Amino acid sequence: GAGVSQTPSNKVTEKGKYVELRCDPISGHTALYWYRQSLGQGPEFLIYFQGTGAADDSGLPNDRFFAVRPEGSVSTLKIQRTERGDSAVYLCASSPDRGNYGYTFGSGTRLTVV
Amino acid sequence: AQSVTQLDSHVSVSEGTPVLLRCNYSSSYSPSLFWYVQHPNKGLQLLLKYTSAATLVKGINGFEAEFKKSETSFHLTKPSAHMSDAAEYFCVVIRVTGTASKLTFGTGTRLQVML
C-alpha cells in the first residue's frame, strides 16, 4: 500500500486478556519497527525486524510481549495477560533499509486496558 | 549512548512570527538526526533529516534545521508560523549498527500557534 497500515486503530480490552496488533508495512520495505507511546511521552522502541528475523528485541518490556513477522512483510505484536499499564498507542514503522534516512510511521493502534 | 534533549516542553507563538524549537544531542560519534511532527490523533510525519551532508537542512512546510557540532544542537526553525503548524514536535537520533537500527525520541515540544 501507499503507507504503513495498522489495525485496529482502537482496541479496548479487559485486564488479563490477550491482544494482537497488526502492522502492514510499505511494500518492499525490509525493516519494520514497533514503538510504544504513552500519554505525554515520546515513542519508545520495542522491537526491530530486518526481514523475517527480530534483529533487536531489547525494548520489549517483559515476556508478555512478543512480535512476529513470518513472511517478512506483515507483523503482529502480541500481548498476553494485558495489564492497565500496557495502555498506550502502539506505533509501527517501516523503512527500505536500516532507517538511515528515516522511517515511515503508521497512525498507530490505541490500546486501552480496563 | 545516544540521546536528545528537547529544551522546551511547550512553545507558544503568534501566527506569522518565527518558530524556534530547541534540541541538543549527545553522541559519541557523528549522529543522524531527524525532526518528526505529530498532529493530534495522527501518525508521526518526517519533517527533515540530517545525515552528515549539508549542515543546514530544509524540510517540508517551510521548516529547516541547522546541525551545529560545536554546540551539539539541531534546532528547528520556521520564519513564519501558520495555524496548521500547531502540533507536537519530536527531535530524534538514530543509532545504526551492523544489524540493528533504533530511533531515540526526545520528550517532545508542543507548539501552540495563536491568532
Side-chain angles (χ1 to χ4, degrees), chain A residues 7-110:
Chain A
T7 54
S9 56
N10 278 283
K11 175 72 175 178
V12 180
T13 191
E14 292 181 347
K15 179 175 178 292
K17 297 289 188 183
Y18 168 83
V19 296
E20 290 190 351
L21 312 179
R22 176 188 168 106
C23 173
D24 201 339
I26 291 173
S27 179
H29 279 194
T30 57
L32 185 146
Y33 318 81
W34 284 98
Y35 283 75
R36 178 168 71 173
Q37 187 174 20
S38 300
L39 193 63
Q41 308 278 330
E44 294 179 320
F45 171 79
L46 293 177
I47 187 170
Y48 159 57
F49 286 90
Q50 184 61 248
T52 60
D56 184 352
D57 65 357
S58 61
L60 295 177
N62 51 60
D63 61 6
R64 295 187 297 105
F65 288 74
F66 189 71
V68 296
R69 194 186 185 200
E71 297 177 359
S73 177
V74 171
S75 177
T76 305
L77 178 65
K78 308 180 181 193
I79 311 174
Q80 298 177 320
R81 304 182 305 279
T82 51
E83 299 177 357
R84 291 197 178 89
D86 299 334
S87 297
V89 176
Y90 289 81
L91 297 166
C92 178
S94 70
S95 70
D97 48 22
R98 288 177 299 165
N100 309 54
Y101 299 97
Y103 308 172
T104 301
F105 281 86
S107 297
T109 294
R110 182 175 298 278

Side-chain angles (χ1 to χ4, degrees), chain A residues 33 35 37 40-45 48 50 55-56 58-59 89 91 98-108 110, chain B residues 32 34 36 38 41-46 49-51 90 94 96-108:
Chain A
Y33 318 81
Y35 283 75
Q37 187 174 20
Q41 308 278 330
E44 294 179 320
F45 171 79
Y48 159 57
Q50 184 61 248
D56 184 352
S58 61
V89 176
L91 297 166
R98 288 177 299 165
N100 309 54
Y101 299 97
Y103 308 172
T104 301
F105 281 86
S107 297
R110 182 175 298 278
Chain B
S32 290
F34 308 88
Y36 277 86
Q38 188 174 39
N41 299 316
K42 294 199 174 174
L44 288 156
Q45 181 182 21
L46 181 64
K49 56 199 173 201
Y50 167 75
T51 55
F90 293 97
I94 186 172
V96 179
T97 61
T99 57
S101 171
K102 185 183 297 185
L103 293 180
T104 299
F105 284 75
T107 51

